[in-house]
Amino acid sequence: MSDSALDRAFAAAPRAWFLPPAERRFAGLDRPLPIGHGQTNSQPTTVRHLLEHLDVRPGQRVLDVGCGSGWTTALLAHLVGPEGVVVGVEIVPELVELGRANLGRADAPNARIEAAEPGVLGHPGGAPYDRILVSAEAHDVPASLVEQLGEDGVLVVPVAGRLTVVRRSGPHAEPDVQWLGHYAFVPLLEPGGVEDPGGQ
Ligand SMILES: C[S@@+](CC[C@H](N)C(=O)[O-])C[C@H]1O[C@@H](n2cnc3c(N)ncnc32)[C@H](O)[C@@H]1O
């Protein structure tokens, strides 16, 4: 994915559109900003690093776990283009509504936001995905998300303070795990029910 593709996506989905009115004047600051319910719209340089490592291509099918304000979902929608599909998943019901409203103003007809199902991490109903982005920190690489990756799929997820890139070359191949730099994220919340989001 080129720098210019990322630049075009950031220009097409300005951060301010995804912030509560009182936070919009801070949109240019490189720090996380509150979106309510104890959650944040992520720091712009961090979002850019996540997207660089995700290496999204036009036409791909992408899952955005922890889509919050909908900003990353809209950025991904521009990166995959009209032939691609983006599914955002969010665990806080009020943020599902916020993200949908924000996305509705962002010219992203190829993207949608789903509420996280109890006991389910990600959105297995839409799998397999070419790319999965997680914007909240897990304790361990979530095996259930690795299972939702397709062949040559890439998962970018903060794990125990480190940005982590997982590549899956095929259904029977061991995933390749690369540990990168340290980042601070809000925790990946337990979706309730039977599944441990950070474990496995
Ligand atoms: C850093 S915040 C939002 C990031 C978002 N990409 C943005 O820029 O607005 C992470 C989000 O992950 C959500 N989240 C936490 N655990 C989750 C889970 N198990 N499933 C789905 N969303 C989750 C939080 O509610 C929060 O909205």
Side-chain angles (χ1 to χ4, degrees), residues 84-162:
V85 172
V86 182
V87 181
V89 182
E90 172 54 50
I91 201 167
V92 176
E94 293 86 348
L95 295 181
V96 172
E97 295 309 318
L98 176 78
R100 283 178 178 162
N102 290 341
L103 198 59
R105 290 191 290 269
D107 185 26
N110 55 338
R112 67 177 199 272
I113 291 176
E114 303 281 357
E117 285 175 50
V120 177
L121 182 61
H123 188 65
Y129 302 99
D130 300 301
R131 299 288 186 265
I132 300 177
L133 174 67
V134 185
S135 298
E137 183 179 309
H139 299 299
D140 288 297
V141 173
S144 58
L145 290 184
V146 177
E147 280 166 20
Q148 291 171 51
L149 280 177
E151 198 165 329
D152 296 323
V154 178
L155 161 67
V156 171
V157 53
V159 177
R162 309 256 331 244

Side-chain angles (χ1 to χ4, degrees), residues 35 39-42 65-72 89-92 95 116 121 135-136 186-189:
I35 55 173
Q39 302 299 339
T40 58
N41 170 284
S42 304
V65 179
C67 58
S69 66
W71 188 34
T72 44
V89 182
E90 172 54 50
I91 201 167
V92 176
L95 295 181
L121 182 61
S135 298
V186 296
L188 191 64
L189 301 172

